[in-house]
Amino acid sequence: MPDLMTRWGRELDVDHVLAEHPRPQLVRDSHLNLNGRWEHAFTAEDAPAPSTYDGPIVVPFSPEAPLSGVGRQLQPDERLWYRRTVTLPDGFVRDRVLLHFGAVDQTCTVWLNDVEVGGNEGGYWAFTLDVTEALRPGENTLVVAVRDLSDGHQHASGKQRLQRGNIWYTAQSGIWQTVWMESVPATWVDRLTLTPHLADGELEITVHAAGTTAADGGPATARVEVAGREVEVAVGEPTRIGIDDVRPWSPEDPHLYDVAVTLGADHVTSYAGMRSVGITTDADGTPRITLNGEPYLHLGVLDQGYWPDGLMTAPSDAALVHDVETMKRLGFTMLRKHIKVESMRFYHHCDRLGMLVWQDAVNGGAPYRRRAVANAKPRHFDDTVRRRPLGREDAAGRALFERELARTIDQLHDVVSIVVWVPFNEGWGQFDAARIAEETATRDPSRLVDHASGWHDQGAGDLWSLHVYQQEVAVPSRPSAERRAFVLSEYGGVSLLVPGHAFDETRTFGHGTSRTEEAWLESFTRLHDDQIATAVRQGLAATVYTQLSDVEDEVNGLLTYDRETSKAPEAAVRAAVDAVRAAYDDARG
């Protein structure tokens, strides 16, 4: 199998890895990036901290990723140790020092100067530790210990598998998003909640504080500046701020409003976008998805967010930009971020470049029974009763998923481009989907919910969501009581192997196979002209083509895994996508 690398991986400077600010919607003038060269060691799971380490590792690439320089799989009965020294720059320390991890897969404990400062469980979410009391002048030693049980357990593992293959990918572990420090005053802005109310021309802002409370002498109010207005708001209280002559955010005009917040001695900057999503009906009663109050066709691509050299970690910020910009050039307006929570840099680029996002939750649970989740019209399950086939017999595991879903929604709440939450995909770990849909909508009423993408529909959420592979795409007969918009949340996926740009040329997967670029393009064009365009005229409200790029065995991407080659000329792909958009416009009159 070839050592497949991206252009960004080949150009990687290990002393300046992913150096951009990792949290674009909460920025202050204190940022110490800790990516780059660390030490690593593998031990038995119950072994003490090692006295000697195995060698260097490039953070934040997992040890399984080529760019880490390690090339070693962490096993469930092992522990992975990281170590590095940190010397804070002169003048860096204010009152408190915070240590941030973008994500560590899957459970970790952190020490600073032999003092345990905290840890985290959950491999896809950011967490922050206040390390002030453990700091000392000069050189500090930071140690992180990681365990990862990987797939087959209740926690979120997504598409990772220790036995990879087919639609399942190489399991990865450890630190896989940026590690950084910042220093804050005694009371600081912990996070912001930004919710647009487009119809009212108002942006709702909640300033959440940490540190010294108002009862102990901390500030009780903050000053917010947005769209030329300056408003004093109570800490922790939602406050609506009117915006004159609102400029709505859309893929065609991704306008963002700068937001600045001052809380006592702390000052942060952020941004927000004014947009709304909903469901309406055409004159003939067909449900359609709306953006900013008008029917809007979501032309999407399934985006796994995997890279041959970085696995779940993009090799550079420019690589993230490349994927979003390329899909926009091809005519797509939406990415379905599939079974993964991305770095905040990814969402930032979708916000500023104008790309809608459907955000999947990350699946977990016990092993799934193939007959319950296979794509050949599997049996329908009442997911409030039939839990074992979908890997959800364990009550603690179900509760864990609900906490992880809530964590996803809260972490990504302010992202402008996210317009749909997708709790379950193809039955993987699915349970109580109707209740989960309702609770998701209650937690975030500003977005739509696709409660069960693919199959095992429970009649809930805002979207009637099907996957269709290697069968004719057709809009099903709509029951009289059905008020959800019909969406094709996965389709296509025809494979084309491009020699020299594949993960393994001897083992490939796709939903049908083309042998030449010409045959692939003919198939792609015919599918969209003959089936997708027709379905759009008949009421199809959104599409998600499989997929953005090849991933390991899957060679069914629009791009090769290394992003070097498109499966067909961009203009030809764009023409097929534009034909679908034209059909939608025709159907609306």
Side-chain angles (χ1 to χ4, degrees):
M1 144 181 344
D3 186 13
L4 196 64
M5 299 284 284
T6 65
R7 73 193 79 160
W8 306 281
R10 290 191 295 270
E11 297 169 356
L12 182 71
D13 179 353
V14 297
D15 294 318
H16 298 87
V17 181
L18 297 170
E20 297 81 9
H21 197 289
R23 195 183 57 194
Q25 282 190 286
L26 192 65
V27 178
R28 53 174 57 87
D29 61 352
S30 177
H31 170 220
L32 179 62
N33 190 293
L34 299 183
N35 293 341
R37 303 172 199 259
W38 293 49
E39 296 176 280
H40 82 281
F42 290 86
T43 68
E45 60 180 292
D46 55 354
S51 56
T52 60
Y53 280 67
D54 300 340
I57 184 172
V58 179
V59 168
F61 301 107
S62 294
E64 298 84 0
L67 289 178
S68 71
V70 176
R72 164 87 147 75
Q73 177 74 64
L74 177 64
Q75 298 297 325
D77 60 353
E78 293 181 314
R79 195 178 299 274
L80 171 62
W81 297 81
Y82 294 83
R83 184 176 67 183
R84 68 158 291 164
T85 59
V86 180
T87 301
L88 300 180
D90 291 341
F92 180 82
V93 178
R94 299 173 77 179
D95 292 306
R96 313 298 299 178
V97 174
L98 308 179
L99 174 63
H100 302 281
F101 292 83
V104 180
D105 195 7
Q106 177 253 328
T107 302
C108 71
T109 306
V110 182
W111 294 266
L112 186 64
N113 298 322
D114 297 322
V115 176
E116 184 175 330
V117 292
N120 183 69
E121 179 179 355
Y124 291 82
W125 299 279
F127 62 97
T128 298
L129 306 174
D130 185 337
V131 299
T132 308
E133 306 306 327
L135 282 169
R136 62 191 182 197
E139 187 175 87
N140 295 266
T141 300
L142 177 61
V143 172
V144 181
V146 177
R147 290 225 32 223
D148 187 358
L149 300 179
S150 198
D151 56 290
H153 295 266
Q154 293 298 321
H155 64 266
S157 55
K159 298 194 75 173
Q160 303 181 61
R161 293 292 183 272
L162 289 169
Q163 297 297 321
R164 55 151 300 278
N166 200 295
I167 68 168
W168 307 106
Y169 310 147
T170 300
Q172 66 161 72
S173 56
I175 298 170
W176 68 276
Q177 288 189 26
T178 291
V179 186
W180 58 293
M181 281 180 158
E182 66 178 345
S183 192
V184 296
T187 302
W188 68 93
V189 177
D190 183 52
R191 60 187 178 91
L192 303 174
T193 301
L194 306 170
T195 305
H197 296 276
L198 182 62
D200 300 326
E202 296 175 332
L203 177 66
E204 182 181 293
I205 299 181
T206 307
V207 178
H208 304 271
T212 304
T213 65
D216 293 325
T221 62
R223 188 175 74 251
V224 175
E225 300 173 63
V226 59
R229 296 194 60 189
E230 185 173 317
V231 179
E232 187 171 349
V233 304
V235 171
E237 296 293 330
T239 303
R240 290 195 180 195
I241 300 175
I243 297 177
D244 296 330
D245 301 319
V246 172
R247 185 173 165 185
W249 181 97
S250 70
E252 293 73 28
D253 182 21
H255 179 73
L256 300 172
Y257 289 91
D258 291 335
V259 176
V261 177
T262 301
L263 175 66
D266 195 24
H267 181 75
V268 299
T269 59
S270 184
Y271 65 82
M274 297 295 291
R275 57 102 185 96
S276 67
V277 292
I279 303 291
T280 191
T281 54
D282 283 350
D284 63 358
T286 301
R288 300 285 189 181
I289 299 173
T290 63
L291 178 65
N292 303 330
E294 296 294 330
Y296 190 92
L297 177 63
H298 291 215
L299 287 166
V301 177
L302 196 69
D303 180 8
Q304 311 277 2
Y306 271 75
W307 306 82
D309 43 12
L311 297 183
M312 288 202 300
T313 309
S316 75
D317 200 55
L320 293 173
V321 173
H322 168 273
D323 278 4
V324 178
E325 289 185 334
T326 301
M327 293 305 106
K328 281 187 70 76
R329 286 199 309 273
L330 293 178
F332 296 102
T333 57
M334 177 262 283
L335 297 176
R336 180 182 166 200
K337 180 51 64 174
H338 195 38
I339 317 296
K340 179 189 178 189
V341 178
E342 272 286 3
S343 72
M344 298 308 296
R345 297 291 306 178
F346 165 80
Y347 301 105
H348 170 62
H349 295 312
C350 291
D351 290 348
R352 69 178 186 85
L353 294 171
M355 180 64 79
L356 299 169
V357 176
W358 291 20
Q359 178 63 51
D360 287 10
V362 184
N363 60 292
Y368 319 132
R369 291 190 176 180
R370 179 171 174 77
R371 66 181 176 85
V373 299
N375 66 7
K377 294 186 178 179
R379 293 176 56 196
H380 173 78
F381 286 89
D382 177 350
D383 69 3
T384 66
V385 179
R386 301 293 303 281
R387 288 172 171 159
R388 185 177 182 183
L390 303 179
R392 283 303 188 192
E393 279 193 301
D394 186 79
R398 296 195 299 272
L400 175 60
F401 173 83
E402 294 193 50
R403 293 195 299 273
E404 292 171 340
L405 175 60
R407 196 171 176 183
T408 299
I409 294 169
D410 292 348
Q411 179 168 313
L412 302 180
H413 178 276
D414 293 351
V415 175
V416 180
S417 50
I418 293 178
V419 292
V420 175
W421 298 115
V422 187
F424 297 111
N425 176 77
E426 296 186 351
W428 303 345
Q430 182 175 320
F431 67 97
D432 297 353
R435 177 180 63 80
I436 297 294
E438 183 177 353
E439 292 178 359
T440 298
T442 299
R443 194 173 194 92
D444 181 10
S446 71
R447 295 177 170 99
L448 303 178
V449 179
D450 179 4
H451 79 303
S453 180
W455 31 83
H456 300 322
D457 180 73
Q458 307 295 306
D462 302 291
L463 307 177
W464 182 13
S465 177
L466 297 183
H467 296 178
V468 177
Y469 289 115
Q470 295 180 281
Q471 301 174 49
E472 183 175 353
V473 174
V475 177
S477 299
R478 181 179 296 277
S480 59
E482 182 59 73
R483 294 293 180 265
R484 297 174 298 170
F486 174 62
V487 303
L488 189 59
S489 49
E490 288 186 29
Y491 75 102
V494 175
S495 67
L496 174 63
L497 173 66
V498 180
H501 298 277
F503 178 80
D504 183 353
E505 296 183 12
T506 67
R507 181 179 179 180
T508 63
F509 175 85
H511 300 283
T513 301
S514 293
R515 300 298 180 187
T516 66
E517 177 184 307
E518 292 75 18
W520 185 92
L521 179 58
E522 180 184 0
S523 172
F524 182 87
T525 302
R526 187 172 61 250
L527 172 63
H528 289 82
D529 287 353
D530 297 347
Q531 297 184 41
I532 304 302
T534 299
V536 163
R537 293 187 187 97
Q538 296 172 347
L540 180 60
T543 62
V544 180
Y545 183 81
T546 302
Q547 58 184 332
L548 189 150
S549 77
D550 298 347
V551 183
E552 299 198 355
D553 291 359
E554 297 176 334
V555 291
N556 53 2
L558 293 163
L559 309 176
T560 54
Y561 198 12
D562 58 6
R563 275 60 164 190
E564 285 299 317
T565 301
S566 175
K567 298 297 177 68
E570 287 189 1
V573 174
R574 176 67 187 244
V577 175
D578 283 347
V580 175
R581 184 179 289 105
Y584 183 83
D585 293 340
D586 289 345
R588 291 186 55 214

